[in-house]
Amino acid sequence: MLDEVLEKLKADSTFQNNVTHWEVIPPRKGRYREIPPDIDERIVSALSEKGIERLYTHQYESYIRVRNGENVVIVTPTASGKTLAYNLPVIQSLLEDSSSKAMYIFPTKALSQDQQAELNETILSGNLPLKVFTYDGDTPTSIRISVREEGRIVITNPDMLHTGILPNHTKWIKFFKELKYIVIDEIHTYRGVFGSHMTNLIRRLKRIASFYGSKPQFICCSATIGNPLELSERLLEEDVVLIDDNGAPSGERHFIFYNPPLIDRVQGIRRGVVQESRRIAVSLLEGGIKTIVFARSRLRTELIASYIRESLDKFYKRGHNIEVASYRGGYLPSERRRIESGLRNGRIRGVVSTNALELGIDIGGLDASVLAGFPGSIASAWQQAGRAGRKSSLSLSILVASASPIDQYIIMHPEYFFAKSPESGWVDPDNVYILVDHLKCAAFELPFDKDEPFGGPAEEVLSYLEEGGTVRFTGGKWYWSDRSYPAEGVSLRTSTPENIIIVDTTEGRNEVIGEMDLSSSKMLLYDGAVYIHQGDQYIVDRLDLENKRCYVSESRENYYTDSIVKTDIKVLEVDEKTPACGIDAAIGDILVRSQATKYKKLKYHTHENIGYGEINLPADEMHTRSVVLLFSEDTLPGSYFRELEEPVQALLMEKLGNLFKNIAPVFLLCDPRDLGIAERVKDPFFASPSLYIYDMYPGGTGLSEGFVARLAEIVSGSLELVSGCPCRSGCPSCIGPSEAGFGESGQATGKNPKAITIQFLEKWVGTFRNEKESGF
Amino acid sequence: MKKKVVSDRRHILARRLGFVEKGLENRTTGRAFPEGQWPILGFKPIGDFSFVRQIEYRAEQLGIEDICSFDFSVRRLYEIQHRVVAARGRGGLAGRGDNQGSKAGLAGRGIAQGPVEKEREPKAVFYDAETTGLSSGTGSLVFLLGLAWTDGEMVRLEQYFLKDFPGEVEYLLSVKKRLEDFGLFVSYNGKSFDSHILETRFLMNRMQYRMGSQLDMLHIVRRLWASVIGSCTLQDIEEKVLGERRHEDIPGYEIPDRYFLFQRSGDWKTVRDVILHNERDVLSLIKLVHLVWKIIDGKREEVKRIAFDKASFGHYMARAGEPVAHRYLLEAHEAGGMKAGKLLSLQYKRMGEWDKAVEIWKTMLERKSLFAAIELAKYYEHRARDYERAISYVREVSRWNMPADKRTRGELVKRLKRLERLKVKKERPG
Ligand SMILES: [Zn+2]
């Protein structure tokens, strides 16, 4: 069917006019090995029931390596049988030794539950005597004991391990004594600050295991990432073997880059990504193609899904029945399960999702994926595209560009996309902020012996902690000596786990229909907001932040709502101001406030603005640490800055911000998402042009301090990067893409932003390089 | 270059922890425990780091007239709690206590399910632990354990004190040796807190010890007084129920810090209040058990002066199958309590005493009880087969104009339809 559709698309000249690139990725033959002879009969027959008579080479290799006692990291695309690759050796070993146990760690609760379902249904087929349990915040108290006592495979997430399991490890004695394998899936999510937390959590986990005399082996899995081996070795602090030679077959894949047509040539306005994606998805679905659409926000997900359903309803009258679901965070687990199984068994033919389905949730094979906008990273784009495609058949992915500069850059420069390797992940587990937090937790869990290491030597931090009275050194050991439960005060993630429960009160009902995290709810569930849930439309009657409830009732408005969010930064306290690289760098505490104060009412389909409403909700505040680069007039770089015209100053500031966000993670071993950037040409607080680089984790994780310490390297590195970049006027890898048609129509400043940036950086680097050469 | 990185790190560390930066070399780690002070309050060393203090009270000093019946009451209270928990277990809930303190645990230790066997009775101990943490988890230690038990006409109290962390093994060994004398462990919130922490300590030191059957007074106390006095800490109970007031008491949340201060200073005075607090808690627990038994017994004049939630307590006793339940439920019903009426009528219904049940429902109906109306409708439909009357009760509900949820409304409509069908059928001869 898909080949017919592709033929049609090829012949369709209106469609072709908007295609900027059509990549055909040739099919790959599968490479197989026989099932190893030592594998238990029961597993062999369970596999055979699923139609598996041979293993892919990478499954075979991981089996041999794991059984050989090696730590492995498996990196193969979606739908390549990764789950089996790690389950096979684990299940075999667990069957051989009836006391041994395994722990599976997934980054989110949703993924854990999905895995449990998959393990029970497909892998074990109910015939193997292995109990698999999920242990997370949702596990009822009544079954927690049996999980601890009887679970052979316990599935959990980092947060539960951190606050629930490790600080209460004596309840898990039986489990830890016999802990043989730890499977960590989706390790690419553990990068930057989150990854640094994860490394420390793994240190704690190993410490407890060793207290009970076990030394578990690790099996990691990752989606596409630039440096999987390096990342997993940093996370585990052990040797790891990389398994990335994918033996699974794949069909021919077509990857089309689609730029919506211009509707206003003069102003350069294109047709919207929502309607274009809908149109493409509908024609695929009508052609009988199982399709997934990825949207960039929850709101867009619901909008696109509703539009698709409406269009198909017209079609449905012609005698077809195509069910299309939307999928995003905030649905009830039962609803999520229903959609997932509907997709697997084919009842649901189409789904519109946020990046929630980008990760490994099993939704079976799909034929086509439509990316409604570039998802922000090369790795994500491949991951989303990879959701379409089965072993042997043809598949299609279409990237539909939005109007944003980055989308426009990618769509116009497909060679950039196809040549660029996916982003790398970094971690810095010895970041003092993070290390201190985890050392406290570790000391609570088990006293430290005098010379016991934690990653590196722990004595320095412990002695600082003793001075504060949280630990006590006596009898050759460091003991926790504080009344608190330290894990409670340490969050592994940027956002708080608090959720708002959404309650439908239509006609006296009192039914929970979904949930949403606290800070998003202020942007999406304000009084008067239209809330769309699986195509049903509700209006928010009242958001009760205190009781964490949002009351909604069914509505039939002809509009949806979108809030206008303003973010500002307030300097709370400047701790120090140090000269660095010829300028001044201030470090201090700031408050980042995001507040939705108004919302727009937008008419469905036309997206025409038909009114406004007020939002009266407290701002979302984050107290964090920031470094502020001050380009004051009395410094040399500041004076170069002042020489530029004002609009150019603003442009340069923005470009420097993008550049630092791209390059600083390499030096700070964090992730771009860990850094917030704000630029102010006129800064009311410092009274000079200021560039803020702040920590996205509340309270900060030492990135600001690190930034100053490595400023010279970062600035020189930036110059190197931007001048070596093959782009003409900026691209996502360097200073960020510029508006389309820059230079020709003489937009904005009329100057090439890349040239401006290079010139400025050369002068700036000159100021501190000279200092060095002159014998400083 | 290397040195610079280290100093940056130290600088960040100091800032993070809120200190003025100092060199590591000058820091005094592992301060020796200050020596030279004799323990106070009669503590005697039982090891390098552990101390014990022993006190005796005459039973009547604690208001106990008859030790034998007091011992008996402790075991009866345990049985009652056990039967309630078991009843809840049948309702689908199972918790740690259910499989620990239930049949096996008991029978093994000599308390039979029925009447108390005179021989092989497990000895009861009242206990309360002071810990270094406010929550459980492996980082909280027990540094003071108060135990009390009856012995002849006396009540003996022992407090075990741990001076510093390295002494925990010897401390736990002495504690274990004493605890092994007992088979029933009476506490206030000890079942889910103190006992867990204590058992965790044994595991952390690679030892095995599990307390036996638990009688946790918190549960029954909540039934008795939560609706009357609100918060039910042992201090609240002392003050508002036992009518006693602590003058120089230390709030519970300050206890860990006092202990840490003691560890740093070696000054026994810092923990004096903690030790007295613990002693007081154990003694109050004994008095509390005594009082609760008197209420269950119900014979004494003095009990009548004490206010408690008769409906909720009656319900609790009903679940334990105690005859006294009936009396308190009746009293509560007569005082106008709907919940008590409901429970009482259901009891009558179960026993087949329909007249009494109907009488209660009719009283409740006057107070617009939906439950009573439905029960009456059911009664007249199934037992009296007087459909007209049954219909009249369902209709009665609709006149109240009460906001009922969808399901209830649906059920009422269904019931009405059925009754009308039955009525027609009955009226039609043949
Ligand atoms: Zn570039």
Side-chain angles (χ1 to χ4, degrees):
Chain A
M1 266 182 291
L2 187 56
D3 44 354
E4 291 166 27
V5 172
L6 284 173
E7 284 314 310
K8 253 191 11 250
L9 287 178
K10 270 183 197 150
D12 180 346
S13 63
T14 14
F15 181 81
Q16 283 290 1
N17 281 342
N18 302 324
V19 170
T20 61
H21 186 77
W22 190 311
E23 180 90 7
V24 181
I25 301 159
R28 280 164 43 112
K29 275 214 182 80
R31 282 170 302 129
Y32 303 89
R33 295 292 295 263
E34 292 308 313
I35 292 179
D38 60 334
I39 286 187
D40 192 289
E41 269 311 308
R42 288 167 289 182
I43 302 178
V44 176
S45 67
L47 290 178
S48 167
E49 269 171 44
K50 285 188 70 193
I52 299 172
E53 308 288 348
R54 297 177 293 175
L55 298 180
Y56 298 135
T57 46
H58 65 275
Q59 291 172 332
Y60 180 86
E61 195 192 347
S62 86
Y63 180 79
I64 299 295
R65 295 283 196 176
V66 172
R67 297 278 289 167
N68 198 27
E70 291 168 281
N71 296 322
V72 301
V73 56
I74 307 163
V75 189
T76 53
T78 327
S80 59
K82 205 163 17 183
T83 317
L84 185 61
Y86 66 72
N87 274 314
L88 201 56
V90 171
I91 292 174
Q92 172 65 24
S93 300
L94 261 50
L95 285 175
E96 283 171 9
D97 174 359
S98 63
S99 56
S100 58
K101 325 259 184 183
M103 174 182 273
Y104 287 17
I105 303 171
F106 289 88
T108 64
K109 270 200 286 193
L111 279 169
S112 320
Q113 285 155 0
D114 183 73
Q115 269 304 310
Q116 191 194 353
E118 170 152 353
L119 262 170
N120 282 332
E121 284 164 28
T122 56
I123 313 263
L124 301 179
S125 312
N127 298 326
L128 299 176
L130 295 179
K131 286 199 175 153
V132 182
F133 288 107
T134 301
Y135 193 84
D136 59 25
D138 295 345
T139 308
T141 322
S142 52
I143 70 157
R144 290 192 173 194
I145 295 170
S146 30
V147 176
R148 297 194 288 250
E149 300 284 314
E150 295 160 28
R152 299 292 306 282
I153 297 178
V154 172
I155 304 173
T156 189
N157 58 56
D159 314 85
M160 194 64 186
L161 189 61
H162 164 60
T163 54
I165 298 175
L166 292 177
N168 292 294
H169 58 84
T170 47
K171 293 183 180 164
W172 293 81
I173 288 184
K174 256 173 114 177
F175 187 80
F176 278 118
K177 266 189 180 162
E178 304 288 347
L179 182 56
K180 194 159 184 187
Y181 295 110
I182 297 173
V183 172
I184 308 178
D185 201 356
E186 317 283 359
I187 63 154
H188 61 282
T189 53
Y190 304 116
R191 27 179 233 273
V193 175
F194 189 30
S196 306
H197 274 296
M198 190 62 183
T199 304
N200 279 289
L201 194 60
I202 291 168
R203 290 172 176 174
R204 284 163 58 195
L205 178 57
K206 285 190 200 168
R207 222 176 143 242
I208 298 304
S210 116
F211 177 67
Y212 293 110
S214 62
K215 191 184 179 306
Q217 197 183 328
F218 289 86
I219 307 173
C220 302
C221 296
S222 175
T224 327
I225 186 169
N227 57 344
L229 183 62
E230 189 184 7
L231 179 65
S232 48
E233 286 188 334
R234 294 290 314 258
L235 279 168
L236 305 181
E237 300 180 296
E238 287 184 25
D239 289 335
V240 180
V241 174
L242 175 68
I243 296 173
D244 63 351
D245 184 16
N246 178 20
S250 58
E252 187 176 277
R253 173 187 300 280
H254 291 242
F255 204 147
I256 302 173
F257 277 33
Y258 181 92
N259 204 7
L262 284 164
I263 46 176
D264 183 336
R265 288 202 167 268
V266 184
Q267 294 188 57
I269 298 171
R270 293 179 181 274
R271 245 194 252 157
V273 66
V274 168
Q275 289 293 9
E276 286 296 279
S277 303
R278 177 208 42 100
R279 223 169 44 77
I280 292 171
V282 166
S283 69
L284 290 169
L285 286 162
E286 282 180 347
I289 312 295
K290 255 183 108 176
T291 304
I292 183 166
V293 180
F294 283 102
R296 293 194 52 184
S297 69
R298 281 176 267 208
L299 180 58
R300 274 196 187 174
T301 298
E302 293 286 2
L303 269 185
I304 296 176
S306 301
Y307 292 170
I308 291 178
R309 282 191 209 102
E310 276 176 42
S311 309
L312 287 175
D313 275 349
K314 290 173 199 152
F315 188 73
Y316 169 57
K317 289 188 188 106
R318 283 174 259 155
H320 296 254
N321 188 0
I322 303 173
E323 188 177 343
V324 175
S326 41
Y327 190 101
R328 57 173 172 80
Y331 287 169
L332 300 178
S334 54
E335 195 167 9
R336 280 204 306 264
R337 289 296 92 72
R338 196 188 63 78
I339 300 168
E340 289 157 15
S341 69
L343 281 163
R344 279 195 297 267
N345 66 28
R347 186 173 46 76
I348 298 175
R349 304 288 302 165
V351 61
V352 186
S353 173
T354 57
N355 60 6
L357 277 183
E358 188 183 304
L359 292 177
I361 291 170
D362 180 21
I363 48 171
L366 292 151
D367 304 304
S369 60
V370 178
L371 280 57
F374 179 66
S377 78
I378 303 274
S380 282
W382 280 112
Q383 191 76 11
Q384 296 186 354
R387 273 306 192 170
R390 306 185 212 212
K391 288 177 191 100
S392 53
S393 54
L394 201 57
S395 71
L396 166 67
S397 299
I398 304 183
L399 169 65
V400 182
S402 78
S404 79
I406 183 156
D407 279 42
Q408 285 303 312
Y409 184 86
I410 299 275
I411 212 80
M412 303 308 281
H413 298 85
E415 72 289 349
Y416 171 89
F417 178 84
F418 287 99
K420 192 168 183 315
S421 50
E423 294 79 0
S424 291
W426 311 103
V427 295
D428 178 18
D430 294 323
N431 171 329
V432 169
Y433 277 68
I434 298 169
L435 182 65
V436 164
D437 282 347
H438 286 276
L439 260 176
K440 285 189 196 169
C441 298
F444 180 91
E445 284 150 14
L446 211 58
F448 269 87
D449 284 333
K450 189 166 187 310
D451 297 315
E452 188 184 339
F454 189 76
E459 196 188 351
E460 184 193 11
V461 177
L462 285 167
S463 68
Y464 267 102
L465 286 173
E466 180 174 42
E467 193 162 321
T470 42
V471 299
R472 173 176 164 76
F473 185 75
T474 171
K477 282 185 179 184
W478 305 88
Y479 291 86
W480 177 250
S481 76
D482 190 83
R483 65 186 193 189
S484 65
Y485 186 91
E488 251 166 27
V490 178
S491 172
L492 307 182
R493 308 189 194 237
T494 41
S495 58
T496 50
E498 278 185 310
N499 271 351
I500 296 279
I501 303 293
I502 303 168
V503 184
D504 175 16
T505 58
T506 314
E507 289 174 11
R509 259 179 290 192
N510 187 26
E511 209 175 294
V512 175
I513 54 169
E515 58 183 3
M516 191 178 288
D517 65 280
L518 190 60
S519 77
S520 308
S521 74
K522 292 183 193 167
M523 316 295 164
L524 293 166
L525 295 176
Y526 39 88
D527 296 2
V530 170
Y531 170 70
I532 314 172
H533 189 109
Q534 267 304 333
D536 295 328
Q537 187 185 309
Y538 300 88
I539 197 146
V540 174
D541 299 318
R542 193 161 60 89
L543 174 62
D544 180 352
L545 287 174
E546 202 173 311
N547 297 306
K548 311 269 178 291
R549 288 273 187 290
C550 175
Y551 301 99
V552 301
S553 50
E554 282 173 14
S555 80
R556 289 176 180 282
E557 307 295 344
N558 63 347
Y559 62 85
Y560 64 96
T561 53
D562 199 2
S563 59
I564 304 166
V565 179
K566 285 196 176 123
T567 300
D568 66 76
I569 284 175
K570 195 178 152 200
V571 179
L572 297 175
E573 198 187 342
V574 178
D575 292 324
E576 54 185 310
K577 213 159 141 184
T578 45
C581 297
I583 57 162
D584 283 332
I587 293 185
D589 286 10
I590 60 163
L591 197 66
V592 183
R593 293 161 44 96
S594 313
Q595 189 167 25
T597 49
K598 266 185 182 175
Y599 65 90
K600 289 184 278 194
K601 296 179 180 176
L602 299 163
K603 206 165 168 189
Y604 285 118
H605 299 289
T606 63
H607 303 175
E608 166 196 355
N609 191 343
I610 54 167
Y612 286 94
E614 298 281 325
I615 303 176
N616 293 306
L617 289 172
D620 222 30
E621 292 186 339
M622 176 176 68
H623 184 158
T624 189
R625 301 273 294 161
S626 180
V627 54
V628 192
L629 304 182
L630 306 170
F631 298 91
S632 47
E633 250 178 292
D634 53 356
T635 65
L636 219 42
S639 66
Y640 299 142
F641 191 85
R642 274 302 277 257
E643 285 164 12
L644 304 165
E645 302 159 42
E646 258 185 41
V648 181
Q649 288 183 354
L651 180 76
L652 174 60
M653 200 65 118
E654 182 203 321
K655 297 300 173 190
L656 286 177
N658 291 344
L659 197 49
F660 288 160
K661 198 173 167 120
N662 274 332
I663 199 157
V666 180
F667 293 99
L668 304 179
L669 302 179
C670 68
D671 198 70
R673 66 188 168 178
D674 297 329
L675 294 174
I677 305 276
E679 59 276 341
R680 287 182 186 169
V681 174
K682 292 197 171 89
D683 186 86
F685 189 88
F686 292 105
S688 66
S690 311
L691 183 60
Y692 291 72
I693 297 112
Y694 59 89
D695 208 309
M696 292 297 279
Y697 269 68
T701 53
L703 297 180
S704 312
E705 287 86 348
F707 194 94
V708 176
R710 311 202 60 171
L711 185 61
E713 289 160 88
I714 292 172
V715 177
S716 322
S718 299
L719 175 59
E720 223 169 280
L721 176 78
V722 67
S723 39
C725 193
C727 66
R728 201 173 71 83
S729 58
C731 74
S733 299
C734 59
I735 57 173
S738 317
E739 294 297 323
F742 161 79
E744 286 138 38
S745 55
Q747 277 179 354
T749 58
K751 300 214 168 67
N752 186 334
K754 190 175 172 185
I756 294 169
T757 313
I758 293 176
Q759 277 162 22
F760 178 76
L761 282 172
E762 274 172 347
K763 286 191 196 165
W764 186 4
V765 169
T767 61
F768 57 89
R769 277 220 182 119
N770 288 344
E771 261 174 48
K772 222 176 242 172
E773 280 155 15
S774 64
F776 138 74
Chain B
M1 188 63 208
K2 176 103 194 181
K3 190 147 198 301
K4 180 147 183 1
V5 173
V6 172
S7 79
D8 280 347
R9 186 180 149 87
R10 245 185 224 168
H11 177 64
I12 294 173
L13 194 53
R15 207 210 153 261
R16 172 68 166 164
L17 299 168
F19 303 130
V20 184
E21 198 176 345
K22 262 195 266 169
L24 181 61
E25 311 74 43
N26 314 330
R27 196 155 304 122
T28 50
T29 55
R31 273 174 234 110
F33 198 90
E35 293 298 338
Q37 270 195 58
W38 288 104
I40 49 158
L41 297 167
F43 271 100
K44 291 190 182 67
I46 45 171
D48 293 341
F49 292 94
S50 324
F51 297 83
V52 70
R53 172 182 185 231
Q54 293 164 317
I55 316 175
E56 290 179 357
Y57 292 88
R58 272 174 293 111
E60 67 256 32
Q61 273 180 290
L62 305 174
I64 301 169
E65 303 84 351
D66 178 357
I67 284 275
C68 270
S69 68
F70 177 74
D71 286 347
F72 171 78
S73 69
V74 175
R75 291 191 298 272
R76 285 279 288 121
L77 274 169
Y78 174 76
E79 278 176 20
I80 288 168
Q81 177 201 276
H82 174 70
R83 284 202 298 265
V84 172
V85 171
R88 198 192 330 148
R90 283 195 298 275
L93 287 165
R96 174 179 180 275
D98 305 342
N99 37 39
Q100 285 308 316
S102 69
K103 263 186 222 158
L106 253 199
R109 290 197 156 85
I111 298 185
Q113 282 258 284
V116 178
E117 282 177 46
K118 272 288 169 224
E119 295 125 348
R120 297 193 302 127
E121 276 164 7
K123 186 80 190 141
V125 63
F126 298 80
Y127 74 94
D128 183 49
E130 306 306 330
T131 59
T132 61
L134 297 177
S135 50
S136 49
T138 53
S140 279
L141 274 77
V142 173
F143 68 88
L144 179 62
L145 180 68
L147 305 174
W149 63 95
T150 58
D151 182 9
E153 287 303 307
M154 309 300 286
V155 171
R156 294 193 187 282
L157 184 121
E158 274 185 2
Q159 286 175 296
Y160 289 81
F161 183 78
L162 170 65
K163 196 171 85 169
D164 202 0
F165 304 134
E168 202 181 15
V169 172
E170 59 166 48
Y171 177 78
L172 291 173
L173 282 171
S174 343
V175 163
K176 184 179 178 195
K177 195 157 169 280
R178 173 57 79 201
L179 289 174
E180 276 168 352
D181 293 344
F182 307 102
L184 178 56
F185 296 81
V186 190
S187 67
Y188 200 77
N189 196 27
K191 188 174 172 181
S192 50
F193 190 74
D194 308 43
S195 68
H196 276 252
I197 295 196
L198 195 61
E199 285 171 6
T200 300
R201 297 324 306 164
F202 280 97
L203 295 171
M204 288 291 286
N205 288 284
R206 304 188 193 275
M207 287 190 262
Q208 278 287 341
Y209 176 72
R210 298 216 71 164
M211 279 188 162
S213 308
Q214 295 274 339
L215 166 59
D216 191 333
M217 292 301 290
L218 180 67
H219 308 289
I220 195 163
V221 160
R222 282 213 182 115
R223 294 304 186 301
L224 281 162
W225 290 298
S227 66
V228 184
I229 63 171
S231 160
C232 281
T233 65
L234 190 54
Q235 286 72 40
D236 293 322
I237 296 296
E238 259 179 42
E239 221 174 90
K240 294 170 186 162
V241 179
L242 297 171
E244 293 178 10
R245 188 153 225 139
R246 293 193 194 190
H247 290 290
E248 287 161 43
D249 196 33
I250 170 175
Y253 60 85
E254 271 184 28
I255 290 175
D257 287 345
R258 285 290 184 94
Y259 181 64
F260 298 134
L261 188 62
F262 164 78
Q263 283 190 328
R264 283 197 296 274
S265 66
D267 182 354
W268 282 85
K269 286 200 289 290
T270 53
V271 284
R272 186 177 178 276
D273 291 347
V274 178
I275 291 158
L276 295 177
H277 170 94
N278 176 258
E279 175 187 348
R280 185 76 185 252
D281 275 358
V282 179
L283 296 179
S284 290
L285 179 61
I286 295 177
K287 292 179 194 168
L288 175 66
V289 167
H290 194 47
L291 176 74
V292 170
W293 179 251
K294 282 197 265 187
I295 291 173
I296 292 175
D297 196 35
K299 288 181 196 127
R300 313 252 194 134
E301 267 313 300
E302 56 188 284
V303 173
K304 297 202 172 123
R305 292 196 307 271
I306 297 168
F308 62 90
D309 184 338
K310 287 181 176 160
S312 155
F313 182 61
H315 183 204
Y316 187 82
M317 285 297 149
R319 283 200 294 163
E322 290 288 318
V324 72
H326 187 78
R327 202 182 89 205
Y328 287 127
L329 285 175
L330 193 62
E331 283 180 34
H333 167 63
E334 280 162 2
M338 295 276 247
K339 194 179 150 202
K342 180 173 172 177
L343 292 166
L344 192 62
S345 66
L346 287 175
Q347 257 194 346
Y348 284 131
K349 183 176 162 183
R350 217 171 299 126
M351 293 185 294
E353 298 194 35
W354 290 99
D355 297 348
K356 285 182 180 164
V358 169
E359 193 185 317
I360 292 175
W361 290 330
K362 286 185 175 163
T363 334
M364 289 173 74
L365 195 70
E366 284 160 25
R367 292 177 230 141
K368 298 194 176 174
S369 157
L370 178 68
F371 161 79
I374 292 176
E375 285 300 322
L376 282 168
K378 277 198 222 163
Y379 171 77
Y380 283 104
E381 175 184 343
H382 300 298
R383 299 210 66 89
R385 298 190 192 281
D386 181 344
Y387 303 123
E388 195 134 356
R389 283 198 87 147
I391 289 168
S392 77
Y393 288 115
V394 180
R395 290 250 158 88
E396 172 104 30
V397 176
S398 64
R399 278 196 294 276
W400 294 342
N401 273 332
M402 55 168 20
D405 58 273
K406 228 180 185 173
R407 224 182 90 211
T408 315
R409 258 183 293 157
E411 277 168 14
L412 285 171
V413 170
K414 235 164 80 187
R415 185 175 294 279
L416 197 61
K417 277 190 185 148
R418 186 178 61 236
L419 284 167
E420 275 170 348
R421 219 169 41 238
L422 288 167
K423 186 180 148 204
V424 173
K425 207 166 142 192
K426 193 183 171 193
E427 280 161 2
R428 220 179 9 226

